[in-house]
C-alpha cells in the first residue's frame, strides 16, 4: 500500500461483522485459564497481560505507526518526552554517554543535559552542521548512541541523516532520529539508514490538540550482535536479562530486540503507557495525516514567502524556501514539503516580537505547535526559557524569534492576521 492508504488501513483489519473503526478496549487487565499461562508470559511476553505493557487499542495504533515508518515494531508512550527518554535509557545507563545534535527541541535539551546528567549519563553536544570527522571525534569509548531531529524545533535546521548514520555505524552505534515535525509522510529516516525513530505524537500525528503522546519505532536493522562482539557494548540486548527471568532479547526476538526490551524492561518499570482512549484519538489524527501534511506545507510555503518580503522581519527560517541554508538538504530528505512551522526574527528583538504576537487575532499564543489551527510561540521566554544564552545560540534562538505554526485555515486569512501583527511593531 502507498503511505496515504496505510494511514487508513494499516494495523487493524475488521473481522467479518466487526467494528470498522479500531475499538477502544477500556480494560487494564486480561484473564487467563491457568497459572502456567501467566507464568509463561513472564518468561516470554507475547500476549496482552496488563495495560501498563500493552493494550489492544494501542497495539493497533502502534502497528499502524510502525508500518508508516517502515519499522518492525512500535511502542506508544504517554508523551514525546517519554519517548525520547526511553529511547536513550534503553541503551544507556550510569557511566555511559551519548551524542546529540545541539539543534534540538529545548525540552529535550533540558532532559538530556540536566536530568540525565543527574542519572550519571553524559550528553555530548555536537553542532548539527558538524563534519563526519567532527562527529566521530566526539565519540568516546562509553558512547552508546547518537540522537538528532529531522527538522529541529524551532531552529528548523535539517538533520543530514545519511552523514550522521555513517558516523554512527562506522563506530558500531545506532542512530536515533526525532521525526516529529516531518512525520513519515514527509520523511522516513529508516530509508536514510537511521535505526530508531521517536515522535511526539502530540503534534502533527494527533493534529487536533486533544491528547499528549509519543512513540518509539524500531527499524530492526541495527546489528546488535556485531556491535557487541566488536565493542562489548549492548550486552543488555545479547545477554540474559536478570530482571526478566533471564530473557535474551536478541535470541528470542531477533531484529525486534530493541523495541521488545523497551516494552518489557522500561515500560514495566516507568509505566508511561498511554490510555486506550488516547490511542483512539491519535488514530483519528493518523487517518488524515497525509492530507493534512500537504495543506500545512502549502500554507507555510506561502506564509514564509510573505514574511520574507516584510521590512519588519530580520530573517526567515524555512527549509522549503529557496535560499534557505538547509534548502538543499530539504530537497534531499523532504522533497514533498518541510512541515507547517516557520521561524522568524522580528526586528527590534524581544519586545517587538511580543507586540507582533499580542496583536494577532486568528493565530493563538500557546505552548503548542503543529496543530490544525495556526499558533505562535516566543521560544526564548517559553519552551527554551531554561537555557543559557550560550545554549540558546547553539539552538539557533534569539530574543526576536517567533515560532509560527501554520494551521489549516485559508492562507489568505492567515496572511491578513500577520498584517495585524506587523502593523503593531
Amino acid at each position: 500500500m502507498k503511505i496515504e492508504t496505510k494511514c487508513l488501513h494499516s494495523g487493524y483489519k475488521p473481522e467479518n461483522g466487526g467494528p470498522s473503526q479500531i475499538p477502544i478496549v477500556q480494560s487494564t487487565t486480561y484473564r487467563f485459564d491457568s497459572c502456567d499461562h501467566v507464568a509463561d508470559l513472564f518468561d516470554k511476553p507475547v500476549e496482552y497481560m496488563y495495560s501498563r505493557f500493552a493494550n489492544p487499542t494501542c497495539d493497533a495504533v502502534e502497528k499502524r505507526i510502525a508500518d508508516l515508518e517502515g519499522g518492525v515494531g512500535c511502542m506508544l508512550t504517554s508523551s514525546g518526552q517519554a519517548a525520547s527518554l526511553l529511547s536513550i535509557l534503553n541503551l544507556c545507563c550510569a557511566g555511559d554517554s551519548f551524542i546529540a545534535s545541539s539543534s534540538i527541541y529545548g525540552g529535550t535539551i533540558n532532559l538530556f543535559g540536566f536530568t540525565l546528567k543527574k542519572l550519571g549519563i553524559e550528553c555530548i553536544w555536537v553542532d548539527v552542521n558538524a563534519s563526519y570527522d567532527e562527529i566521530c571525534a566526539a565519540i568516546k569509548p562509553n558512547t552508546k548512541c547518537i540522537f538528532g531531529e529531522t527538522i529541529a524545533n524551532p531552529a528548523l535546521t535539517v538533520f543530514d541523516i545519511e552523514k550522521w548514520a555513517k558516523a554512527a555505524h562506522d563506530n558500531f552505534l545506532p542512530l536515533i532520529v526525532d521525526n516529529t515535525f516531518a512525520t513519515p509522510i514527509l520523511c522516513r529516516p529508516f530509508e536514510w539508514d537511521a535505526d530508531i525513530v521517536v515522535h511526539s505524537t502530540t503534534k502533527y500525528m494527533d493534529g487536533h490538540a486533544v491528547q499528549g503522546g509519543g512513540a518509539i519505532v524500531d527499524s530492526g536493522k541495527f546489528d546488535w550482535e556485531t556491535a557487541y562482539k566488536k565493542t562489548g557494548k549492548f550486552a543488555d540486548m545479547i545477554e540474559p536479562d536478570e530482571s526478566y527471568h533471564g530473557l535474551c532479547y536478541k535470541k528470542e526476538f531477533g531484529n525486534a530486540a530493541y523495541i521488545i526490551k523497551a516494552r518489557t524492561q522500561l515500560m514495566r518499570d516507568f509505566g508511561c503507557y498511554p490510555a486506550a482512549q488516547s490511542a483512539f484519538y491519535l488514530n483519528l489524527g493518523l487517518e488524515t495525516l497525509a492530507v493534512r501534511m500537504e495543506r500545512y506545507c502549502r500554507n507555510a510555503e506561502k506564509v514564509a514567502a510573505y514574511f520574507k518580503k516584510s521590512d519588519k522581519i530580520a530573517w526567515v527560517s524555512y527549509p522549503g524556501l529557496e535560499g534557505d541554508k538547509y534548502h538543499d538538504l530539504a530537497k534531499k530528505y523532504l522533497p514533498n514539503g518541510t512541515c507547517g512551522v516557520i521561524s522568524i526574527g522580528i526586528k527590534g528583538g524581544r519586545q517587538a516580537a511580543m507586540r507582533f504576537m499580542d496583536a494577532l487575532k486568528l493565530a493563538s499564543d500557546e505552548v503548542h505547535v503543529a496543530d490544525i489551527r495556526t499558533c505562535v510561540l516566543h521560544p526564548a521566554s517559553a519552551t527554551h526559557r531554561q537555557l543559557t544564552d550560550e545554549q540558546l545560540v547553539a539552538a539557533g534562538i534569539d530574543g526576536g524569534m517567533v515560532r509560527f505554526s501554520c494551521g489549516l485555515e485559508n492562507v489568505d486569512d492567515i496572511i491578513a492576521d500577520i498584517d495585524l501583527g506587523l502593523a503593531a511593531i
Side-chain angles (χ1 to χ4, degrees):
M1 294 187 292
K2 303 296 184 185
I3 197 161
E4 296 86 352
T5 309
K6 289 181 178 183
C7 285
L8 292 163
H9 294 281
S10 286
Y12 175 70
K13 183 174 177 60
E15 297 177 355
N16 184 37
S20 177
Q21 183 56 273
I22 294 174
I24 301 171
V25 180
Q26 197 66 45
S27 180
T28 62
T29 45
Y30 308 87
R31 295 187 177 185
F32 303 94
D33 292 334
S34 72
C35 289
D36 286 342
H37 192 161
V38 178
D40 288 343
L41 293 179
F42 280 89
D43 286 333
K44 189 174 182 180
V46 291
E47 299 175 49
Y48 307 114
M49 56 178 165
Y50 192 60
S51 282
R52 191 172 77 240
F53 293 85
N55 168 280
T57 307
C58 297
D59 180 60
V61 180
E62 287 166 342
K63 287 186 170 79
R64 181 162 293 179
I65 293 173
D67 197 23
L68 289 173
E69 284 287 10
V72 296
C74 170
M75 182 178 74
L76 293 179
T77 62
S78 55
S79 69
Q81 282 290 80
S84 295
L85 172 66
L86 297 191
S87 74
I88 298 296
L89 291 184
N90 205 32
L91 299 169
C92 297
C93 60
D96 288 337
S97 69
F98 68 99
I99 285 174
S101 160
S102 58
S103 182
I104 56 176
Y105 169 57
T108 312
I109 291 173
N110 198 64
L111 169 65
F112 288 175
F114 292 92
T115 304
L116 287 183
K117 184 179 180 180
K118 292 178 180 179
L119 302 180
I121 300 171
E122 179 192 11
C123 180
I124 303 165
W125 301 105
V126 175
D127 189 280
V128 68
N129 301 312
S131 67
Y132 167 86
D133 290 337
E134 289 170 328
I135 300 166
C136 291
I139 296 170
K140 296 181 177 181
N142 66 351
T143 300
K144 291 288 190 67
C145 61
I146 296 178
F147 186 101
E149 234 176 305
T150 310
I151 308 172
N153 173 16
L156 299 183
T157 57
V158 176
F159 192 63
D160 192 343
I161 303 171
E162 273 194 320
K163 176 180 68 180
W164 287 77
K166 177 172 172 51
H169 296 161
D170 286 352
N171 289 276
F172 304 101
L173 302 175
L175 176 65
I176 304 171
V177 175
D178 183 335
N179 201 35
T180 296
F181 269 13
T183 80
I185 304 302
L186 301 180
C187 180
R188 286 173 290 283
F190 295 155
E191 295 177 0
W192 302 99
D193 291 335
D195 302 291
I196 297 144
V197 158
V198 297
H199 285 277
S200 171
T201 61
T202 315
K203 311 304 190 299
Y204 283 124
M205 281 189 165
D206 168 272
H208 300 76
V210 295
Q211 56 82 41
I216 305 173
V217 188
D218 182 3
S219 70
K221 296 191 299 182
F222 190 76
D223 190 344
W224 302 107
E225 215 151 26
T226 298
Y228 174 66
K229 289 176 181 176
K230 294 283 187 180
T231 68
K233 299 175 183 178
F234 313 118
D236 286 354
M237 299 291 175
I238 308 299
E239 297 177 0
D241 179 1
E242 293 181 6
S243 77
Y244 210 94
H245 316 288
L247 185 66
C248 297
Y249 295 103
K250 183 66 175 69
K251 178 181 178 183
E252 294 290 345
F253 300 103
N255 65 343
Y258 175 89
I259 201 68
I260 297 294
K261 177 180 177 291
R263 187 183 301 276
T264 302
Q265 195 180 78
L266 297 181
M267 191 57 75
R268 173 200 64 195
D269 293 345
F270 287 92
C272 46
Y273 202 62
Q277 187 86 29
S278 295
F280 178 83
Y281 288 138
L282 169 58
N283 184 63
L284 293 180
L286 290 174
E287 289 180 341
T288 63
L289 183 61
V291 179
R292 288 187 291 109
M293 291 311 296
E294 182 178 357
R295 178 64 173 266
Y296 289 126
C297 292
R298 301 297 85 80
N299 277 359
E301 287 163 7
K302 293 178 182 177
V303 168
Y306 191 76
F307 275 130
K308 194 81 173 173
K309 295 175 185 175
S310 173
D311 59 4
K312 295 182 179 181
I313 304 297
W315 53 266
V316 178
S317 180
Y318 186 70
L321 274 181
E322 289 278 355
D324 186 271
K325 181 177 181 179
Y326 296 95
H327 187 63
D328 288 342
L329 282 177
K331 285 195 295 184
K332 175 179 178 178
Y333 294 114
L334 303 134
N336 296 319
T338 57
C339 82
V341 183
I342 305 160
S343 286
I344 58 172
I346 306 286
K347 290 181 180 177
R350 184 182 294 255
Q351 294 305 315
M354 290 182 172
R355 285 196 295 273
F356 167 80
M357 292 170 62
D358 289 346
L360 299 173
K361 302 297 183 185
L362 180 70
S364 56
D365 185 351
E366 57 186 61
V367 186
H368 190 47
V369 68
D371 191 7
I372 54 171
R373 299 168 186 84
T374 297
C375 53
V376 291
L377 185 79
H378 187 247
S381 59
T383 53
H384 293 64
R385 188 181 183 88
Q386 74 279 13
L387 302 190
T388 65
D389 290 342
E390 292 77 14
Q391 287 175 320
L392 285 172
V393 171
I397 296 166
D398 62 45
M401 175 189 271
V402 172
R403 185 181 70 187
F404 195 96
S405 178
C406 293
L408 302 185
E409 301 94 346
N410 185 291
V411 72
D412 292 338
D413 291 329
I414 298 174
I415 289 173
D417 197 42
I418 290 169
D419 286 338
L420 292 177
L422 293 175
I425 300 174

